[in-house]
Amino acid sequence: MPPGRLPSLPGSSITDETVYRGRRRLLGTLAALPALAVAGCRGAEPPPPVDAPRAGAARTGSATGFMTDEPQTRYEDATSYNNFYEFGSGKADPSRAAKTLVTSPWSVQVSGACAKPGTVPLETLLKGLVAEERVYRMRCVEGWSMVIPWLGVPLGEVLKRFQPTSDAKFVAFTSLADPRQMPGVRAPILDWPYREGLRIDEAMHPLTLLVTGMYGKPLPQQNGAPLRLVVPWKYGFKGIKSIVAIEFTSKAPRTAWNDMQPREYGFFANVNPAVDHPRWSQASERRIAGGGNRLFADRIRTQPFNGYAEQVAGLYEGMDLARWY
Ligand SMILES: Nc1nc2c(c(=O)[nH]1)N[C@H]1C(S)=C(S)[C@@H](COP(=O)(O)O)O[C@H]1N2
Ligand SMILES: [Mo]
């Protein structure tokens, strides 16, 4: 892609995040993942594993960043224009191929620097927590964005249950990588499994959400069911889907996109219109919302920290945001 141009429109089969990918050896990590749910258990759609949602607006002002009045992306668009490379690299692939992903039963392995590690069923992980609705902007590093009403719980509230120790400086997340269910992991697009990470203060920030639903419904598979991360001030690739493992670490964990192309996808990946991607500008974005039947509506200016600077800029005081992109 010529520099300065915005990334591809829907219809291209390979997205920008893969175009210049390096060739990397696949690690033999699949065997280390937890055993899969038995096929045949899919049938009735499981209820959301948390209590009924309550509106975040009722107890939060705009100062929290929990809500926005901007036009929301249509449900059909948010669930059919996806990045979930385990199901293929085309935007429409996940909505077709992920339908059969078995999301119940599901458990999450929690390990590392904490007093109470363990592998827990999803229901236990979320027990007693109330799903909140948060309407967030989501800005993909490719240059498009959506506005999505998520349902979820603050990640920090879940992490606290495992009693992280003072050695827990970072949190690492791992997605399911099952070639029997996920055709994309048979191809060396990324060094599977998909991995992401946050600094512990980012993980504990009230905006950081562990998501179980969207638009008042359980999370569809293509959007990362049954459990995914949403960090609204960072590029969308930090929002790891279908999480099976969480680890507290003392050092910054390796992350899948940063491993693949460290000059293009940083660990912090804070949305920053002033720092261009090496192959395109990040100054503006195409908003997928409010455009009637057109997928892409207006091109709008990208905001520092995706519009959440008031809430999160303090986390990065003293850091050179151009260097630590
Ligand atoms: N496991 C996994 N998580 C992932 C991805 C992926 O390919 N695999 N894509 C990321 C990217 S690049 C984006 S923009 C968001 C897209 O989320 P959405 O499809 O729900 O809009 O998911 C992120 N999480
Ligand atoms: Mo993305």
Side-chain angles (χ1 to χ4, degrees), residues 9-15 76-77 79-85 87-99 222 295:
L9 291 163
S12 65
S13 57
I14 305 287
T15 67
E76 307 88 277
D77 294 335
T79 56
S80 65
Y81 186 88
N82 299 103
N83 277 335
F84 199 168
Y85 282 26
F87 295 99
S89 54
K91 292 288 186 275
D93 291 342
S95 57
R96 295 193 200 109
K99 287 266 178 291
Q222 61 268 36
L295 184 63

Side-chain angles (χ1 to χ4, degrees), residues 3-322:
R5 286 216 16 229
L6 278 170
S8 57
L9 291 163
S12 65
S13 57
I14 305 287
T15 67
D16 299 291
E17 277 157 308
T18 56
V19 171
Y20 283 58
R21 67 180 186 253
R23 284 222 162 270
R24 287 183 59 93
R25 165 182 74 90
L26 273 175
L27 297 177
T29 43
L30 297 183
L33 285 167
L36 283 161
V38 185
C41 282
R42 61 173 185 263
E45 193 166 69
V50 285
D51 301 340
R54 71 170 178 233
R59 56 188 194 91
T60 65
S62 61
T64 60
F66 292 174
M67 288 286 148
T68 171
D69 291 336
E70 290 158 81
Q72 293 179 11
T73 301
R74 297 186 314 162
Y75 180 81
E76 307 88 277
D77 294 335
T79 56
S80 65
Y81 186 88
N82 299 103
N83 277 335
F84 199 168
Y85 282 26
E86 288 87 333
F87 295 99
S89 54
K91 292 288 186 275
D93 291 342
S95 57
R96 295 193 200 109
K99 287 266 178 291
T100 51
L101 175 70
V102 178
T103 59
S104 177
W106 191 272
S107 49
V108 179
Q109 182 189 47
V110 183
S111 65
C114 63
K116 301 216 156 3
T119 299
V120 294
L122 184 59
E123 294 73 17
T124 309
L125 188 83
L126 301 173
K127 196 170 178 167
L129 296 173
V130 177
E132 299 174 32
E133 179 157 83
R134 301 280 182 88
V135 184
Y136 286 161
R137 294 173 287 278
M138 184 179 76
R139 169 59 156 86
C140 176
V141 73
E142 295 167 343
W144 52 267
S145 63
M146 298 189 181
V147 175
I148 300 181
W150 301 107
L151 291 173
V153 299
L155 173 65
E157 295 200 15
V158 172
L159 295 184
K160 273 188 246 160
R161 305 184 148 184
F162 298 90
Q163 299 178 15
T165 67
S166 57
D167 286 339
K169 309 282 194 233
F170 294 88
V171 189
F173 304 87
T174 307
S175 291
L176 181 69
D178 173 19
R180 287 186 294 150
Q181 298 195 85
M182 299 169 140
V185 305
R186 294 179 214 139
I189 302 171
L190 280 173
D191 205 353
W192 310 110
Y194 196 101
R195 290 155 288 117
E196 259 308 334
L198 295 172
R199 214 168 55 186
I200 192 81
D201 57 341
E202 299 175 324
M204 294 297 178
H205 193 279
L207 281 172
T208 304
L209 206 62
L210 209 42
V211 163
T212 56
M214 61 197 292
Y215 298 83
K217 302 179 222 246
L219 199 59
Q221 282 100 327
Q222 61 268 36
N223 294 91
L227 190 70
R228 62 96 52 94
L229 185 66
V230 170
V231 193
W233 70 94
K234 293 178 179 284
Y235 289 118
F237 66 86
K238 298 296 289 184
I240 183 171
K241 296 178 169 179
S242 303
I243 296 168
V244 293
I246 299 175
E247 183 183 1
F248 297 100
T249 64
S250 59
K251 296 207 173 84
R254 307 274 300 270
T255 57
W257 278 110
N258 186 248
D259 270 0
M260 180 62 78
Q261 275 296 350
R263 283 169 308 146
E264 302 198 359
Y265 309 107
F267 174 80
F268 284 97
N270 293 318
V271 173
N272 191 344
V275 177
D276 287 344
H277 185 277
R279 293 182 280 121
W280 59 83
S281 165
Q282 294 290 29
S284 69
E285 66 202 52
R286 289 168 195 248
R287 179 57 60 82
I288 302 179
N293 287 326
R294 283 182 303 138
L295 184 63
F296 289 105
D298 315 308
R299 182 179 298 191
I300 56 175
R301 291 160 88 103
T302 291
Q303 304 177 72
F305 296 105
N306 202 24
Y308 300 97
E310 194 188 323
Q311 291 82 22
V312 302
L315 297 175
Y316 309 101
E317 243 159 57
M319 262 174 72
D320 177 356
L321 295 174

